[in-house]
Structures are given as C-alpha cells and as structure tokens.
PDB file of all heavy atoms in Angstrom:
ATOM      1  N   ALA A 281     -27.799 -27.716 -39.929  1.00 82.00           N
ATOM      2  CA  ALA A 281     -28.634 -27.111 -38.885  1.00 82.00           C
ATOM      3  C   ALA A 281     -28.192 -25.688 -38.555  1.00 82.00           C
ATOM      4  O   ALA A 281     -28.994 -24.870 -38.092  1.00 82.00           O
ATOM      5  CB  ALA A 281     -28.597 -27.973 -37.631  1.00 82.00           C
ATOM      6  N   SER A 282     -26.924 -25.370 -38.795  1.00 87.00           N
ATOM      7  CA  SER A 282     -26.414 -24.037 -38.450  1.00 87.00           C
ATOM      8  C   SER A 282     -26.781 -22.982 -39.490  1.00 87.00           C
ATOM      9  O   SER A 282     -26.620 -21.783 -39.240  1.00 87.00           O
ATOM     10  CB  SER A 282     -24.889 -24.084 -38.323  1.00 87.00           C
ATOM     11  OG  SER A 282     -24.284 -24.384 -39.578  1.00 87.00           O
ATOM     12  N   TYR A 283     -27.271 -23.405 -40.651  1.00 90.00           N
ATOM     13  CA  TYR A 283     -27.482 -22.456 -41.745  1.00 90.00           C
ATOM     14  C   TYR A 283     -28.447 -21.338 -41.351  1.00 90.00           C
ATOM     15  O   TYR A 283     -28.142 -20.158 -41.521  1.00 90.00           O
ATOM     16  CB  TYR A 283     -27.987 -23.187 -42.990  1.00 90.00           C
ATOM     17  CG  TYR A 283     -28.367 -22.260 -44.124  1.00 90.00           C
ATOM     18  CD1 TYR A 283     -27.382 -21.544 -44.804  1.00 90.00           C
ATOM     19  CD2 TYR A 283     -29.692 -22.086 -44.496  1.00 90.00           C
ATOM     20  CE1 TYR A 283     -27.714 -20.686 -45.836  1.00 90.00           C
ATOM     21  CE2 TYR A 283     -30.034 -21.220 -45.529  1.00 90.00           C
ATOM     22  CZ  TYR A 283     -29.038 -20.524 -46.201  1.00 90.00           C
ATOM     23  OH  TYR A 283     -29.383 -19.671 -47.207  1.00 90.00           O
ATOM     24  N   ARG A 284     -29.595 -21.689 -40.820  1.00 86.00           N
ATOM     25  CA  ARG A 284     -30.583 -20.659 -40.491  1.00 86.00           C
ATOM     26  C   ARG A 284     -30.116 -19.765 -39.342  1.00 86.00           C
ATOM     27  O   ARG A 284     -30.477 -18.585 -39.282  1.00 86.00           O
ATOM     28  CB  ARG A 284     -31.935 -21.298 -40.164  1.00 86.00           C
ATOM     29  CG  ARG A 284     -32.616 -21.928 -41.365  1.00 86.00           C
ATOM     30  CD  ARG A 284     -34.085 -22.187 -41.095  1.00 86.00           C
ATOM     31  NE  ARG A 284     -34.820 -20.974 -40.814  1.00 86.00           N
ATOM     32  CZ  ARG A 284     -35.252 -20.109 -41.738  1.00 86.00           C
ATOM     33  NH1 ARG A 284     -35.007 -20.334 -43.015  1.00 86.00           N
ATOM     34  NH2 ARG A 284     -35.929 -19.033 -41.384  1.00 86.00           N
ATOM     35  N   ARG A 285     -29.306 -20.318 -38.452  1.00 89.00           N
ATOM     36  CA  ARG A 285     -28.803 -19.507 -37.333  1.00 89.00           C
ATOM     37  C   ARG A 285     -27.804 -18.461 -37.811  1.00 89.00           C
ATOM     38  O   ARG A 285     -27.603 -17.441 -37.138  1.00 89.00           O
ATOM     39  CB  ARG A 285     -28.141 -20.399 -36.278  1.00 89.00           C
ATOM     40  CG  ARG A 285     -29.074 -21.371 -35.588  1.00 89.00           C
ATOM     41  CD  ARG A 285     -28.442 -21.911 -34.326  1.00 89.00           C
ATOM     42  NE  ARG A 285     -27.160 -22.542 -34.548  1.00 89.00           N
ATOM     43  CZ  ARG A 285     -26.988 -23.846 -34.789  1.00 89.00           C
ATOM     44  NH1 ARG A 285     -28.050 -24.636 -34.834  1.00 89.00           N
ATOM     45  NH2 ARG A 285     -25.791 -24.355 -34.977  1.00 89.00           N
ATOM     46  N   GLU A 286     -27.142 -18.718 -38.946  1.00 93.00           N
ATOM     47  CA  GLU A 286     -26.061 -17.845 -39.396  1.00 93.00           C
ATOM     48  C   GLU A 286     -26.371 -17.135 -40.710  1.00 93.00           C
ATOM     49  O   GLU A 286     -25.470 -16.628 -41.376  1.00 93.00           O
ATOM     50  CB  GLU A 286     -24.778 -18.671 -39.529  1.00 93.00           C
ATOM     51  CG  GLU A 286     -24.328 -19.295 -38.230  1.00 93.00           C
ATOM     52  CD  GLU A 286     -23.009 -20.057 -38.343  1.00 93.00           C
ATOM     53  OE1 GLU A 286     -22.728 -20.582 -39.441  1.00 93.00           O
ATOM     54  OE2 GLU A 286     -22.286 -20.105 -37.349  1.00 93.00           O
ATOM     55  N   MET A 287     -27.656 -17.081 -41.065  1.00 93.00           N
ATOM     56  CA  MET A 287     -28.030 -16.480 -42.345  1.00 93.00           C
ATOM     57  C   MET A 287     -27.629 -15.012 -42.462  1.00 93.00           C
ATOM     58  O   MET A 287     -27.419 -14.519 -43.562  1.00 93.00           O
ATOM     59  CB  MET A 287     -29.543 -16.598 -42.563  1.00 93.00           C
ATOM     60  CG  MET A 287     -30.038 -17.978 -42.879  1.00 93.00           C
ATOM     61  SD  MET A 287     -31.764 -17.962 -43.421  1.00 93.00           S
ATOM     62  CE  MET A 287     -32.575 -17.185 -42.022  1.00 93.00           C
ATOM     63  N   PHE A 288     -27.550 -14.318 -41.336  1.00 94.00           N
ATOM     64  CA  PHE A 288     -27.298 -12.880 -41.360  1.00 94.00           C
ATOM     65  C   PHE A 288     -25.821 -12.544 -41.491  1.00 94.00           C
ATOM     66  O   PHE A 288     -25.460 -11.381 -41.681  1.00 94.00           O
ATOM     67  CB  PHE A 288     -27.835 -12.235 -40.076  1.00 94.00           C
ATOM     68  CG  PHE A 288     -27.160 -12.731 -38.824  1.00 94.00           C
ATOM     69  CD1 PHE A 288     -26.072 -12.064 -38.299  1.00 94.00           C
ATOM     70  CD2 PHE A 288     -27.612 -13.879 -38.188  1.00 94.00           C
ATOM     71  CE1 PHE A 288     -25.440 -12.518 -37.153  1.00 94.00           C
ATOM     72  CE2 PHE A 288     -26.985 -14.344 -37.039  1.00 94.00           C
ATOM     73  CZ  PHE A 288     -25.895 -13.663 -36.525  1.00 94.00           C
ATOM     74  N   LYS A 289     -24.932 -13.538 -41.430  1.00 95.00           N
ATOM     75  CA  LYS A 289     -23.496 -13.272 -41.437  1.00 95.00           C
ATOM     76  C   LYS A 289     -22.936 -13.241 -42.857  1.00 95.00           C
ATOM     77  O   LYS A 289     -23.313 -14.044 -43.695  1.00 95.00           O
ATOM     78  CB  LYS A 289     -22.753 -14.363 -40.655  1.00 95.00           C
ATOM     79  CG  LYS A 289     -23.083 -14.433 -39.181  1.00 95.00           C
ATOM     80  CD  LYS A 289     -22.284 -15.552 -38.522  1.00 95.00           C
ATOM     81  CE  LYS A 289     -22.606 -15.676 -37.038  1.00 95.00           C
ATOM     82  NZ  LYS A 289     -21.850 -16.795 -36.409  1.00 95.00           N
ATOM     83  N   PRO A 290     -22.007 -12.311 -43.134  1.00 95.00           N
ATOM     84  CA  PRO A 290     -21.320 -12.346 -44.431  1.00 95.00           C
ATOM     85  C   PRO A 290     -20.302 -13.485 -44.453  1.00 95.00           C
ATOM     86  O   PRO A 290     -19.617 -13.735 -43.456  1.00 95.00           O
ATOM     87  CB  PRO A 290     -20.627 -10.979 -44.495  1.00 95.00           C
ATOM     88  CG  PRO A 290     -20.453 -10.566 -43.066  1.00 95.00           C
ATOM     89  CD  PRO A 290     -21.608 -11.149 -42.310  1.00 95.00           C
ATOM     90  N   PHE A 291     -20.222 -14.187 -45.573  1.00 95.00           N
ATOM     91  CA  PHE A 291     -19.280 -15.280 -45.723  1.00 95.00           C
ATOM     92  C   PHE A 291     -18.494 -15.097 -47.018  1.00 95.00           C
ATOM     93  O   PHE A 291     -18.992 -15.428 -48.097  1.00 95.00           O
ATOM     94  CB  PHE A 291     -20.008 -16.635 -45.763  1.00 95.00           C
ATOM     95  CG  PHE A 291     -20.282 -17.236 -44.418  1.00 95.00           C
ATOM     96  CD1 PHE A 291     -21.397 -16.851 -43.687  1.00 95.00           C
ATOM     97  CD2 PHE A 291     -19.433 -18.185 -43.864  1.00 95.00           C
ATOM     98  CE1 PHE A 291     -21.665 -17.393 -42.443  1.00 95.00           C
ATOM     99  CE2 PHE A 291     -19.685 -18.744 -42.621  1.00 95.00           C
ATOM    100  CZ  PHE A 291     -20.804 -18.349 -41.902  1.00 95.00           C
ATOM    101  N   PRO A 292     -17.266 -14.559 -46.942  1.00 95.00           N
ATOM    102  CA  PRO A 292     -16.415 -14.525 -48.136  1.00 95.00           C
ATOM    103  C   PRO A 292     -16.217 -15.954 -48.664  1.00 95.00           C
ATOM    104  O   PRO A 292     -16.365 -16.926 -47.920  1.00 95.00           O
ATOM    105  CB  PRO A 292     -15.108 -13.931 -47.616  1.00 95.00           C
ATOM    106  CG  PRO A 292     -15.486 -13.212 -46.353  1.00 95.00           C
ATOM    107  CD  PRO A 292     -16.613 -13.984 -45.768  1.00 95.00           C
ATOM    108  N   MET A 293     -15.882 -16.088 -49.931  1.00 96.00           N
ATOM    109  CA  MET A 293     -15.818 -17.398 -50.569  1.00 96.00           C
ATOM    110  C   MET A 293     -15.002 -18.436 -49.791  1.00 96.00           C
ATOM    111  O   MET A 293     -15.481 -19.566 -49.587  1.00 96.00           O
ATOM    112  CB  MET A 293     -15.283 -17.262 -51.996  1.00 96.00           C
ATOM    113  CG  MET A 293     -15.223 -18.575 -52.762  1.00 96.00           C
ATOM    114  SD  MET A 293     -16.835 -19.383 -52.968  1.00 96.00           S
ATOM    115  CE  MET A 293     -17.575 -18.359 -54.232  1.00 96.00           C
ATOM    116  N   PRO A 294     -13.780 -18.135 -49.320  1.00 95.00           N
ATOM    117  CA  PRO A 294     -13.039 -19.159 -48.581  1.00 95.00           C
ATOM    118  C   PRO A 294     -13.781 -19.655 -47.339  1.00 95.00           C
ATOM    119  O   PRO A 294     -13.764 -20.852 -47.037  1.00 95.00           O
ATOM    120  CB  PRO A 294     -11.729 -18.455 -48.195  1.00 95.00           C
ATOM    121  CG  PRO A 294     -11.577 -17.368 -49.199  1.00 95.00           C
ATOM    122  CD  PRO A 294     -12.976 -16.913 -49.494  1.00 95.00           C
ATOM    123  N   GLU A 295     -14.442 -18.740 -46.638  1.00 96.00           N
ATOM    124  CA  GLU A 295     -15.186 -19.132 -45.441  1.00 96.00           C
ATOM    125  C   GLU A 295     -16.462 -19.898 -45.802  1.00 96.00           C
ATOM    126  O   GLU A 295     -16.873 -20.819 -45.098  1.00 96.00           O
ATOM    127  CB  GLU A 295     -15.544 -17.898 -44.612  1.00 96.00           C
ATOM    128  CG  GLU A 295     -14.332 -17.188 -44.024  1.00 96.00           C
ATOM    129  CD  GLU A 295     -14.727 -15.955 -43.227  1.00 96.00           C
ATOM    130  OE1 GLU A 295     -15.871 -15.907 -42.730  1.00 96.00           O
ATOM    131  OE2 GLU A 295     -13.901 -15.031 -43.126  1.00 96.00           O
ATOM    132  N   LEU A 296     -17.084 -19.507 -46.924  1.00 96.00           N
ATOM    133  CA  LEU A 296     -18.282 -20.206 -47.367  1.00 96.00           C
ATOM    134  C   LEU A 296     -17.958 -21.657 -47.721  1.00 96.00           C
ATOM    135  O   LEU A 296     -18.646 -22.591 -47.289  1.00 96.00           O
ATOM    136  CB  LEU A 296     -18.891 -19.479 -48.571  1.00 96.00           C
ATOM    137  CG  LEU A 296     -20.227 -19.999 -49.099  1.00 96.00           C
ATOM    138  CD1 LEU A 296     -21.290 -19.980 -48.004  1.00 96.00           C
ATOM    139  CD2 LEU A 296     -20.674 -19.171 -50.301  1.00 96.00           C
ATOM    140  N   ILE A 297     -16.892 -21.857 -48.472  1.00 96.00           N
ATOM    141  CA  ILE A 297     -16.469 -23.212 -48.817  1.00 96.00           C
ATOM    142  C   ILE A 297     -16.009 -23.956 -47.571  1.00 96.00           C
ATOM    143  O   ILE A 297     -16.203 -25.172 -47.448  1.00 96.00           O
ATOM    144  CB  ILE A 297     -15.351 -23.175 -49.881  1.00 96.00           C
ATOM    145  CG1 ILE A 297     -15.915 -22.620 -51.199  1.00 96.00           C
ATOM    146  CG2 ILE A 297     -14.752 -24.564 -50.108  1.00 96.00           C
ATOM    147  CD1 ILE A 297     -14.894 -22.454 -52.303  1.00 96.00           C
ATOM    148  N   GLY A 298     -15.438 -23.217 -46.612  1.00 95.00           N
ATOM    149  CA  GLY A 298     -14.994 -23.835 -45.370  1.00 95.00           C
ATOM    150  C   GLY A 298     -16.114 -24.475 -44.571  1.00 95.00           C
ATOM    151  O   GLY A 298     -15.866 -25.336 -43.717  1.00 95.00           O
ATOM    152  N   ARG A 299     -17.359 -24.100 -44.852  1.00 95.00           N
ATOM    153  CA  ARG A 299     -18.496 -24.664 -44.119  1.00 95.00           C
ATOM    154  C   ARG A 299     -18.730 -26.125 -44.487  1.00 95.00           C
ATOM    155  O   ARG A 299     -19.391 -26.850 -43.742  1.00 95.00           O
ATOM    156  CB  ARG A 299     -19.759 -23.845 -44.392  1.00 95.00           C
ATOM    157  CG  ARG A 299     -19.639 -22.405 -43.961  1.00 95.00           C
ATOM    158  CD  ARG A 299     -20.864 -21.583 -44.309  1.00 95.00           C
ATOM    159  NE  ARG A 299     -21.992 -21.909 -43.451  1.00 95.00           N
ATOM    160  CZ  ARG A 299     -23.122 -21.218 -43.422  1.00 95.00           C
ATOM    161  NH1 ARG A 299     -23.255 -20.160 -44.212  1.00 95.00           N
ATOM    162  NH2 ARG A 299     -24.108 -21.562 -42.622  1.00 95.00           N
ATOM    163  N   PHE A 300     -18.222 -26.563 -45.650  1.00 96.00           N
ATOM    164  CA  PHE A 300     -18.476 -27.948 -46.048  1.00 96.00           C
ATOM    165  C   PHE A 300     -17.240 -28.682 -46.561  1.00 96.00           C
ATOM    166  O   PHE A 300     -17.306 -29.870 -46.838  1.00 96.00           O
ATOM    167  CB  PHE A 300     -19.573 -27.995 -47.123  1.00 96.00           C
ATOM    168  CG  PHE A 300     -19.300 -27.144 -48.343  1.00 96.00           C
ATOM    169  CD1 PHE A 300     -18.523 -27.601 -49.390  1.00 96.00           C
ATOM    170  CD2 PHE A 300     -19.856 -25.865 -48.449  1.00 96.00           C
ATOM    171  CE1 PHE A 300     -18.282 -26.818 -50.512  1.00 96.00           C
ATOM    172  CE2 PHE A 300     -19.636 -25.069 -49.570  1.00 96.00           C
ATOM    173  CZ  PHE A 300     -18.837 -25.553 -50.608  1.00 96.00           C
ATOM    174  N   ARG A 301     -16.079 -28.034 -46.664  1.00 94.00           N
ATOM    175  CA  ARG A 301     -14.908 -28.654 -47.273  1.00 94.00           C
ATOM    176  C   ARG A 301     -14.365 -29.847 -46.478  1.00 94.00           C
ATOM    177  O   ARG A 301     -13.780 -30.761 -47.050  1.00 94.00           O
ATOM    178  CB  ARG A 301     -13.794 -27.640 -47.515  1.00 94.00           C
ATOM    179  CG  ARG A 301     -13.182 -27.042 -46.276  1.00 94.00           C
ATOM    180  CD  ARG A 301     -11.989 -26.141 -46.634  1.00 94.00           C
ATOM    181  NE  ARG A 301     -10.879 -26.939 -47.133  1.00 94.00           N
ATOM    182  CZ  ARG A 301     -10.196 -26.663 -48.233  1.00 94.00           C
ATOM    183  NH1 ARG A 301     -10.499 -25.599 -48.946  1.00 94.00           N
ATOM    184  NH2 ARG A 301      -9.204 -27.432 -48.610  1.00 94.00           N
ATOM    185  N   SER A 302     -14.557 -29.852 -45.171  1.00 94.00           N
ATOM    186  CA  SER A 302     -14.014 -30.947 -44.362  1.00 94.00           C
ATOM    187  C   SER A 302     -15.014 -32.093 -44.164  1.00 94.00           C
ATOM    188  O   SER A 302     -14.688 -33.107 -43.547  1.00 94.00           O
ATOM    189  CB  SER A 302     -13.573 -30.425 -42.996  1.00 94.00           C
ATOM    190  OG  SER A 302     -14.680 -29.885 -42.286  1.00 94.00           O
ATOM    191  N   LYS A 303     -16.223 -31.951 -44.705  1.00 95.00           N
ATOM    192  CA  LYS A 303     -17.237 -32.990 -44.529  1.00 95.00           C
ATOM    193  C   LYS A 303     -17.033 -34.113 -45.546  1.00 95.00           C
ATOM    194  O   LYS A 303     -16.680 -33.843 -46.701  1.00 95.00           O
ATOM    195  CB  LYS A 303     -18.640 -32.405 -44.654  1.00 95.00           C
ATOM    196  CG  LYS A 303     -18.974 -31.418 -43.549  1.00 95.00           C
ATOM    197  CD  LYS A 303     -20.424 -30.974 -43.614  1.00 95.00           C
ATOM    198  CE  LYS A 303     -20.764 -30.063 -42.435  1.00 95.00           C
ATOM    199  NZ  LYS A 303     -22.185 -29.650 -42.442  1.00 95.00           N
ATOM    200  N   PRO A 304     -17.269 -35.348 -45.142  1.00 96.00           N
ATOM    201  CA  PRO A 304     -17.106 -36.463 -46.089  1.00 96.00           C
ATOM    202  C   PRO A 304     -18.149 -36.400 -47.200  1.00 96.00           C
ATOM    203  O   PRO A 304     -19.257 -35.880 -46.997  1.00 96.00           O
ATOM    204  CB  PRO A 304     -17.308 -37.705 -45.216  1.00 96.00           C
ATOM    205  CG  PRO A 304     -18.111 -37.232 -44.048  1.00 96.00           C
ATOM    206  CD  PRO A 304     -17.700 -35.811 -43.802  1.00 96.00           C
ATOM    207  N   LEU A 305     -17.786 -36.915 -48.365  1.00 97.00           N
ATOM    208  CA  LEU A 305     -18.743 -36.985 -49.471  1.00 97.00           C
ATOM    209  C   LEU A 305     -19.889 -37.912 -49.103  1.00 97.00           C
ATOM    210  O   LEU A 305     -19.709 -38.896 -48.390  1.00 97.00           O
ATOM    211  CB  LEU A 305     -18.057 -37.482 -50.743  1.00 97.00           C
ATOM    212  CG  LEU A 305     -16.934 -36.611 -51.314  1.00 97.00           C
ATOM    213  CD1 LEU A 305     -16.404 -37.228 -52.603  1.00 97.00           C
ATOM    214  CD2 LEU A 305     -17.406 -35.189 -51.558  1.00 97.00           C
ATOM    215  N   GLU A 306     -21.073 -37.611 -49.599  1.00 95.00           N
ATOM    216  CA  GLU A 306     -22.248 -38.412 -49.286  1.00 95.00           C
ATOM    217  C   GLU A 306     -22.352 -39.644 -50.178  1.00 95.00           C
ATOM    218  O   GLU A 306     -23.087 -40.576 -49.866  1.00 95.00           O
ATOM    219  CB  GLU A 306     -23.505 -37.546 -49.411  1.00 95.00           C
ATOM    220  CG  GLU A 306     -23.501 -36.415 -48.398  1.00 95.00           C
ATOM    221  CD  GLU A 306     -24.763 -35.580 -48.428  1.00 95.00           C
ATOM    222  OE1 GLU A 306     -25.167 -35.168 -49.528  1.00 95.00           O
ATOM    223  OE2 GLU A 306     -25.335 -35.337 -47.346  1.00 95.00           O
ATOM    224  N   PHE A 307     -21.618 -39.645 -51.285  1.00 96.00           N
ATOM    225  CA  PHE A 307     -21.544 -40.819 -52.160  1.00 96.00           C
ATOM    226  C   PHE A 307     -20.397 -40.601 -53.142  1.00 96.00           C
ATOM    227  O   PHE A 307     -19.863 -39.495 -53.265  1.00 96.00           O
ATOM    228  CB  PHE A 307     -22.863 -41.060 -52.910  1.00 96.00           C
ATOM    229  CG  PHE A 307     -23.418 -39.845 -53.614  1.00 96.00           C
ATOM    230  CD1 PHE A 307     -22.964 -39.451 -54.868  1.00 96.00           C
ATOM    231  CD2 PHE A 307     -24.406 -39.079 -53.001  1.00 96.00           C
ATOM    232  CE1 PHE A 307     -23.479 -38.338 -55.515  1.00 96.00           C
ATOM    233  CE2 PHE A 307     -24.936 -37.955 -53.639  1.00 96.00           C
ATOM    234  CZ  PHE A 307     -24.455 -37.589 -54.896  1.00 96.00           C
ATOM    235  N   GLU A 308     -20.008 -41.653 -53.828  1.00 97.00           N
ATOM    236  CA  GLU A 308     -18.942 -41.572 -54.816  1.00 97.00           C
ATOM    237  C   GLU A 308     -19.395 -40.701 -55.984  1.00 97.00           C
ATOM    238  O   GLU A 308     -20.513 -40.860 -56.490  1.00 97.00           O
ATOM    239  CB  GLU A 308     -18.594 -42.974 -55.312  1.00 97.00           C
ATOM    240  CG  GLU A 308     -17.457 -43.009 -56.317  1.00 97.00           C
ATOM    241  CD  GLU A 308     -17.170 -44.413 -56.806  1.00 97.00           C
ATOM    242  OE1 GLU A 308     -17.629 -45.370 -56.151  1.00 97.00           O
ATOM    243  OE2 GLU A 308     -16.498 -44.543 -57.845  1.00 97.00           O
TER     244      GLU A 308
END
C-alpha cells in the first residue's frame, strides 16, 4: 500500500531491498 505514496522517492539498492527483506515468504 505504501508503494504509490513513495513513488517519488529515490531508493538505493539496500533501501529498496529493505522494503521487503523482513517480510515472510508467501509460499515455499
């Protein structure tokens, strides 16, 4: 849900991956 709110922000690779690295996998 936050993606469209933050589309204008620059995200270096570590920060970009940080947006989903702590989320659980959706399946094996």
Side-chain angles (χ1 to χ4, degrees):
S282 65
Y283 174 69
R284 291 196 61 79
R285 296 196 304 268
E286 299 183 330
M287 288 191 302
F288 63 93
K289 296 180 181 178
F291 274 83
M293 182 61 75
E295 294 179 25
L296 185 58
I297 294 176
R299 299 177 73 171
F300 55 84
R301 66 175 291 132
S302 62
K303 295 186 176 182
L305 297 182
E306 296 183 311
F307 50 82
E308 182 181 344

